[in-house]
Amino acid sequence: MEWTSLNDLRESYLKFFESKNCLRKKSYSLVPQNDNSLLLIVAGMAPLKPYFTGQEVPPRTRMTTCQKCIRTGDIENVGKTARHGTYFEMLGNFSFGDYFKKEAIAWAWEYVTQVLKLPKDRLWISVYEDDDEAAEIWHNEAGVPKDRIVRMGKEDNFWEAGTDGPCGPCSEIYFDRGEKYGCGKPDCKVGCDCDRYMEFWNLVFTQFERHEDGTYTPLAQKNIDTGMGLERLAALMQDVGSIFDVDTVKAIRDHICKIAGCTYGEEYKKDVSVRVITDHIRAVTFLASDGVLPSNEGAGYVMRRLVRRAVRHGKLLGINGLFLKDLVKTVVDCNKCEYNELEEKYDYIVKVLTNEEMNFNRTIDRGMKLLDELIEKMQAEGKTVLDGEDCFKLSDTYGFPLDLTREILEEKGFTPDEEGYEKCMEVQRTTARTARGGSKYMGADETVFHRIDKEFQTEFVGYETLECDANADYLTNDDELIMRADEGQTAYIVSSKTPFYAESGGQVGDTGFIETETGKAEVLDAQKAVAGKVSHKIAVIKGYIEAGQTAHFTVDGKRRMAIARNHSAAHLLQAALREVLGDHVHQKGQLVDADRVRFDFSHFEAITPEELAKVEQLVNEKIMDGIEVNTQVLPIEEAQKLGAMALFGEKYGETVRVVSMGDFSLEFCGGTHLKNTAQAGLFKIVSEGSVASGVRRIEAVTGGNVLTLFGEIEGRLSAAQKLLKVNDTSLIPDRITSLIEENKELARTADSLKQKIAGSMFDQLVNGASEINGVKVFAGEMANVGSDMYEKFSEGVKNLDDAFVLVLAGTADEKPKLLCACSKAAVAKGAHAGKIVKDVAALTDGKGGGRPESAMAGVGDKAKIAAAMEKAAEIAAGYIK
């Protein structure tokens, strides 16, 4: 076979299916859009689910993609074998009610035998045991001998997900790689677990609907869904042992070996670590490019786990310092021909991964300290198994994978409670599933709007006008299509045309009014319903409205203008942040309404007041420059060439709307904007802070809301002026500084008095102490003593030559603490302040302890202090020899 690079194979496949009139689409984001059933995209068909179910109309009934995918079900096995990996690319060609088995099989055979030129005598086919139709097409039309067509059962050759939904038989293509890859068994054949017969392409014929009772009925729209792992195909074409030997993957593998100073293939343990890092750096680089940030939940948790596993295996290879950033360059260079966003976001990707690598380097040391302490505790208690909760804490809090914990424990003769750990993990998984929400087979719950003709679309005319006439084509409530909504009722209108902007891209939906000849409704919100439809949530305020009536739609123009000010300001804000902080800044989320703009962005350290002031000043400069705001609709490739910024993970069509503000800002955006930046008036940042690891948030106001804010500030200044009794607000800072100094002086005086009082009290309690076994003991409660006076009492006890123990409960504080202090002579006789105060505090349900000479403890229940102090002297006596 001719040697073929992975990138050449990808291109050959996509071009082949373009020639079959399939629409070629770039890979969708790894982050699912509107699909609660998945954390990450796991197959080529996953982003296309709405087209398979008919919920949305596809751009073409034939499509082909090379989809980025991540599967983490076998993450613990990645590295241990050369078969397992998390990140891969899946080639696929799809039909949504268009071509079916005959064409799918014919084209697959044509590509395999004529384009890839694989020898026909080394190809094998499997079909579902009852799928005579597929078997006949393979034999009669493709010419595959019957003895090379293997029938398999439901477990191997029938695809279905869950107890209901679309499903169907599948057919797989195998390649006989020869005896050198085989197991040597005489019965080795297609389906054997060895590597000889490699399954590399799966054709799924989605032709049935499965029902919950286990029965199947034919689908009205039959679909084709094929999947072929690109790396797997490359391994076959390049005649190499595994995906880790494929050209683009091997380049990363070799780079790791160079950094670690090792040779791949010489030592199994090192090979495991090299494979783990090779796989994981590919995955996390693509995750970062799609906007995923490491976190403790969802896709972010998957990313965090992958990064930390890679870092841990780097340490096992002896790599010191930060090394992931060096590998990112190789990943980008090997993949940028298809994924140009990797090169565009290179600096950002490096920042994300380096930040997480640094964080883990800090926590791994604390985690090791905790594990050492737990091991010491087990040794002292004679245990051999580490509790599952402790294993989970090491994983969840310190980022220790279970296999790392297991390895360290086994070195010292211990084992982890893996069952207990799994129970803790299942609790976390259940919580995560609950957070994602319920979902049906295809991931998105059906709504009443799915009952509307899927071909029906709503045209948005709101860029040009704020009012129009259109039919109220459909009327619904939350559960069903209805014919009429009366005064006082809430309902939804779906029309073929609307000036109302439906909430999208962080911009809230428009409000306003819809009026017919029989009634009037207030529009409370506008939302994208499904497949190009816009729903207007209405409250009927007069008469009634019927489905099909001609209606006049009017948007609240004043509110739309306020929203536009904030949205255009958000674009200026992002451009200013990138100029002041760096190109790593990308939008991570936003909320734009009539009152404010809330903008979340990637940045990995605190913003200084000076930087924030520069950002605000820059935005206001651009507003005062009166820059014209232009919008144009362009093919997505052309927009990308212009350098327009796209939102991470957003799903874009063939054409995109681009909003520009001079040469300062250029973004993909479907929102509503000003015509000139001067219309924003003013821009004022209200707050800035961190909302997640690597994500910060700015809230700001524009236009009239700035004047409102200034009015509120003036009101507070006026009130402060009166309270501080100054004639001018400009004198407020000086007056506050003066009061702070006065308060500090008063505090110093008060502290001095307290210490004198404490000294006087100490003399009295020494004289009132009782003697136990040659040691004077005072135990008592003092209502006018606080913990800030304890230091004086401890110092007094420390200076005594006599054997003396003090147990004191000062109850002046809202949350009282107990003090125990022992003189050196008392300690010599067995007294121990830490143990005594711990025992006394336990009587109040409190906790504490400390050194033999001095210790404090918290009080649990104040009502139990008196009873505890009655026992205090007795407790102290128990320690005195």
Side-chain angles (χ1 to χ4, degrees):
M1 287 176 291
E2 182 182 346
W3 188 92
T4 310
S5 76
L6 179 142
N7 288 321
D8 289 342
L9 283 170
R10 183 197 299 113
E11 187 62 23
S12 77
Y13 179 91
L14 295 173
K15 277 190 173 179
F16 176 81
F17 280 99
E18 275 189 292
S19 74
K20 304 302 181 184
N21 203 28
C22 292
L23 174 65
R24 175 174 174 171
K25 292 281 286 183
K26 282 183 69 68
S27 173
Y28 294 89
S29 168
L30 281 165
V31 182
Q33 303 293 307
N34 303 316
D35 187 346
N36 293 331
S37 69
L38 297 172
L39 277 178
L40 293 166
I41 295 299
V42 296
M45 61 79 67
L48 309 176
K49 286 180 182 180
Y51 305 149
F52 282 110
T53 60
Q55 290 179 359
E56 293 184 20
V57 179
R60 196 180 297 174
T61 53
R62 300 179 179 187
M63 287 178 64
T64 184
T65 64
C66 181
Q67 176 61 44
K68 299 173 291 187
C69 302
I70 287 183
R71 295 178 183 174
T72 58
D74 291 323
I75 189 172
E76 300 292 348
N77 290 320
V78 173
K80 292 180 181 177
T81 74
R83 284 185 174 188
H84 292 90
T86 61
Y87 175 81
F88 62 98
E89 296 178 59
M90 184 173 282
L91 299 165
N93 56 285
F94 311 96
S95 165
F96 312 110
D98 192 316
Y99 66 84
F100 197 50
K101 287 184 189 178
K102 183 176 179 180
E103 295 86 349
I105 290 172
W107 294 342
W109 191 248
E110 180 184 349
Y111 179 72
V112 167
T113 59
Q114 295 183 31
V115 178
L116 298 183
K117 301 187 184 305
L118 290 174
K120 293 181 182 180
D121 60 355
R122 294 174 67 179
L123 292 168
W124 290 74
I125 307 297
S126 72
V127 297
Y128 177 51
E129 57 190 358
D130 295 333
D131 193 357
D132 296 333
E133 180 187 10
E136 288 173 9
I137 295 171
W138 279 114
H139 177 60
N140 296 331
E141 302 198 23
V144 178
K146 285 187 176 181
D147 61 358
R148 287 186 174 272
I149 301 172
V150 181
R151 292 180 183 256
M152 293 188 173
K154 204 169 187 181
E155 184 178 341
D156 295 302
N157 278 67
F158 195 93
W159 181 86
E160 54 189 342
T163 57
D164 63 345
C167 58
C170 57
S171 180
E172 295 171 323
I173 306 177
Y174 290 78
F175 183 75
D176 180 359
R177 307 193 75 193
E179 292 182 3
K180 68 177 180 178
Y181 290 104
C183 58
K185 296 177 182 177
D187 60 345
C188 182
K189 59 184 179 180
V190 169
C192 183
D193 286 337
C194 73
D195 292 332
R196 175 172 177 173
Y197 296 94
M198 176 188 279
E199 179 269 310
F200 65 95
W201 199 349
N202 187 13
L203 316 179
V204 180
F205 312 125
T206 313
Q207 64 188 91
F208 298 114
E209 177 85 20
R210 176 181 169 131
H211 305 284
E212 291 188 355
D213 62 2
T215 60
Y216 299 84
T217 55
L219 279 173
Q221 173 183 299
K222 294 178 173 61
N223 304 314
I224 290 293
D225 160 26
T226 83
M228 175 160 55
L230 177 58
E231 293 85 352
R232 196 172 176 84
L233 176 63
L236 185 159
M237 295 300 296
Q238 295 171 20
D239 194 23
V240 293
S242 77
I243 60 173
F244 294 96
D245 303 306
V246 168
D247 60 328
T248 56
V249 185
K250 180 178 178 293
I252 302 165
R253 188 196 80 189
D254 290 347
H255 192 170
I256 295 162
C257 289
K258 182 179 178 181
I259 294 172
C262 64
T263 301
Y264 185 74
E266 287 188 349
E267 186 180 333
Y268 173 73
K269 282 189 176 181
K270 287 186 177 180
D271 287 352
V272 169
S273 293
V274 169
R275 287 193 290 263
V276 167
I277 301 169
T278 302
D279 172 80
H280 290 6
I281 192 63
R282 296 175 77 218
V284 297
T285 297
F286 278 95
L287 282 169
S289 78
D290 281 339
V292 179
L293 287 173
S295 68
N296 286 329
E297 59 185 20
Y301 181 72
V302 173
M303 185 176 186
R304 172 159 285 168
R305 192 176 179 196
L306 292 170
V307 172
R308 296 189 172 193
R309 271 191 110 231
V311 173
R312 174 247 166 162
H313 278 276
K315 288 185 178 294
L316 291 179
L317 287 174
I319 300 174
N320 296 314
L322 305 174
F323 69 96
L324 296 184
K325 57 182 172 55
D326 299 322
L327 298 176
V328 171
K329 183 70 167 62
T330 305
V331 178
V332 172
D333 287 344
C334 290
N335 293 277
K336 63 185 179 184
C337 61
E338 177 67 17
Y339 305 104
N340 58 308
E341 66 270 19
L342 292 175
E343 195 164 38
E344 294 167 5
K345 298 169 183 173
Y346 172 75
D347 290 339
Y348 169 80
I349 295 167
V350 167
K351 279 216 170 196
V352 169
L353 299 186
T354 300
N355 189 59
E356 181 64 12
E357 188 177 7
M358 289 169 63
N359 287 340
F360 186 46
N361 280 339
R362 286 192 288 267
T363 62
I364 194 170
D365 293 333
R366 295 203 300 272
M368 284 301 302
K369 183 181 177 185
L370 173 62
L371 185 52
D372 288 341
E373 290 172 356
L374 291 170
I375 289 172
E376 285 181 17
K377 184 180 177 184
M378 285 193 296
Q379 288 172 332
E381 296 175 355
K383 292 182 178 179
T384 58
V385 180
L386 182 63
D387 289 343
E389 288 185 9
D390 289 325
C391 295
F392 179 75
K393 183 178 180 181
L394 283 162
S395 169
D396 193 52
T397 305
Y398 297 99
F400 272 49
L402 181 62
D403 54 351
L404 173 59
T405 303
R406 183 192 304 113
E407 185 176 323
I408 295 169
L409 288 173
E410 288 176 350
E411 287 173 1
K412 299 180 183 294
F414 300 95
T415 56
D417 173 14
E418 297 194 30
E419 186 177 337
Y421 171 83
E422 282 301 325
K423 285 180 181 177
C424 294
M425 283 296 295
E426 185 54 40
V427 170
Q428 186 183 70
R429 291 189 194 106
T430 303
T431 304
R433 282 195 293 269
T434 303
R436 290 204 302 273
S439 62
K440 294 189 181 295
Y441 152 71
M442 280 297 186
D445 286 340
E446 285 203 359
T447 67
V448 65
F449 303 111
H450 286 95
R451 301 176 194 175
I452 298 173
D453 180 4
K454 68 181 180 182
E455 302 288 342
F456 184 88
Q457 303 270 306
T458 303
E459 178 191 1
F460 176 60
V461 297
Y463 293 133
E464 299 83 25
T465 181
L466 294 180
E467 54 184 297
C468 75
D469 292 321
N471 286 341
D473 297 278
Y474 295 93
L475 196 62
T476 84
N477 57 25
D478 289 328
D479 303 310
E480 58 187 353
L481 296 172
I482 58 176
M483 293 305 298
R484 171 169 163 159
D486 293 309
E487 186 173 328
Q489 290 184 326
T490 300
Y492 302 89
I493 288 175
V494 179
S495 57
S496 60
K497 185 167 64 173
T498 183
F500 284 81
Y501 181 83
E503 181 173 341
S504 179
Q507 179 178 326
V508 297
D510 282 331
T511 59
F513 296 93
I514 296 176
E515 194 166 2
T516 70
E517 62 180 3
T518 61
K520 184 176 183 180
E522 181 181 1
V523 178
L524 306 174
D525 193 12
Q527 293 282 332
K528 289 184 176 180
V530 63
K533 302 170 182 64
V534 172
S535 71
H536 307 78
K537 184 178 182 180
I538 63 166
V540 182
I541 56 177
K542 180 182 176 183
Y544 63 89
I545 290 180
E546 290 185 334
Q549 283 186 313
T550 298
H552 188 71
F553 293 65
T554 308
V555 174
D556 181 341
K558 186 176 179 181
R559 181 174 179 271
R560 165 75 81 83
M561 186 63 176
I563 294 169
R565 286 192 190 96
N566 287 331
H567 201 156
S568 294
H571 284 222
L572 293 174
L573 174 59
Q574 176 161 226
L577 285 165
R578 286 172 66 83
E579 185 164 315
V580 174
L581 302 179
D583 290 343
H584 64 277
V585 169
H586 287 276
Q587 179 183 327
K588 301 302 294 180
Q590 73 172 7
L591 172 64
V592 177
D593 60 22
D595 299 320
R596 61 176 173 158
V597 53
R598 189 182 75 198
F599 189 78
D600 295 350
F601 57 98
S602 52
H603 189 57
F604 305 96
E605 57 194 14
I607 298 176
T608 67
E610 293 76 19
E611 289 172 331
L612 203 60
K614 280 183 185 177
V615 169
E616 185 176 274
Q617 180 183 350
L618 188 52
V619 173
N620 278 306
E621 283 177 4
K622 299 304 176 183
I623 289 171
M624 288 184 280
D625 285 346
I627 302 169
E628 188 176 346
V629 179
N630 291 311
T631 60
Q632 53 183 327
V633 177
L634 300 169
I636 189 167
E637 293 84 3
E638 188 176 336
Q640 288 170 334
K641 287 177 184 176
L642 290 174
M645 289 194 67
L647 184 62
F648 276 127
E650 188 70 18
K651 186 177 176 181
Y652 294 104
E654 295 300 301
T655 59
V656 292
R657 188 166 179 263
V658 177
V659 177
S660 62
M661 299 175 194
D663 58 2
F664 186 65
S665 172
L666 185 66
E667 293 190 32
F668 289 21
C669 185
T672 59
H673 285 273
L674 303 172
K675 296 186 182 302
N676 189 290
T677 59
Q679 291 175 292
L682 287 169
F683 173 84
K684 181 64 183 172
I685 294 175
V686 178
S687 65
E688 187 280 329
S690 174
V691 291
S693 176
V695 180
R696 301 194 73 80
R697 170 175 293 170
I698 283 178
E699 294 199 18
V701 291
T702 61
N705 291 323
V706 176
L707 299 178
T708 301
L709 175 65
F710 287 165
E712 292 171 357
I713 293 171
E714 275 191 2
R716 289 195 287 270
L717 283 172
S718 180
Q721 181 183 343
K722 290 177 182 178
L723 286 170
L724 296 169
K725 297 179 181 178
V726 293
N727 296 326
D728 193 314
T729 54
S730 65
L731 300 174
I732 288 176
D734 290 339
R735 180 62 178 142
I736 291 174
T737 301
S738 176
L739 285 173
I740 289 171
E741 288 304 319
E742 288 176 23
N743 282 336
K744 284 181 180 178
E745 185 57 38
L746 288 171
R748 283 192 289 268
T749 302
D751 188 58
S752 177
L753 288 171
K754 282 182 180 179
Q755 299 310 317
K756 288 179 181 178
I757 292 168
S760 176
M761 287 181 170
F762 180 71
D763 293 338
Q764 293 176 27
L765 63 83
V766 168
N767 294 329
S770 58
E771 189 171 316
I772 302 173
N773 296 336
V775 178
K776 290 183 178 181
V777 178
F778 178 89
E781 180 180 352
M782 290 186 169
N784 54 352
V785 171
S787 57
D788 57 349
M789 299 166 71
Y790 281 179
E791 186 178 349
K792 188 69 176 178
F793 287 107
S794 293
E795 189 179 321
V797 174
K798 182 180 178 182
N799 293 332
L800 290 174
D801 293 327
D802 297 336
F804 186 85
V805 175
L806 168 65
V807 184
L808 181 62
T811 56
D813 297 338
E814 185 179 346
K815 293 183 178 179
K817 291 186 176 68
L818 304 180
L819 169 70
C820 181
C822 303
S823 67
K824 286 185 179 179
V827 172
K829 288 179 174 281
H832 191 293
K835 294 178 181 179
I836 294 170
V837 80
K838 178 183 177 182
D839 293 347
V840 175
L843 298 176
T844 72
D845 302 325
K847 293 180 180 180
R851 295 177 291 107
E853 298 83 9
S854 180
M856 286 197 293
V859 171
D861 185 349
K862 288 196 284 188
K864 296 181 178 181
I865 290 176
M869 296 312 294
E870 287 180 8
K871 295 276 189 180
E874 183 181 332
I875 290 171
Y879 288 96
I880 298 170
K881 298 172 184 174

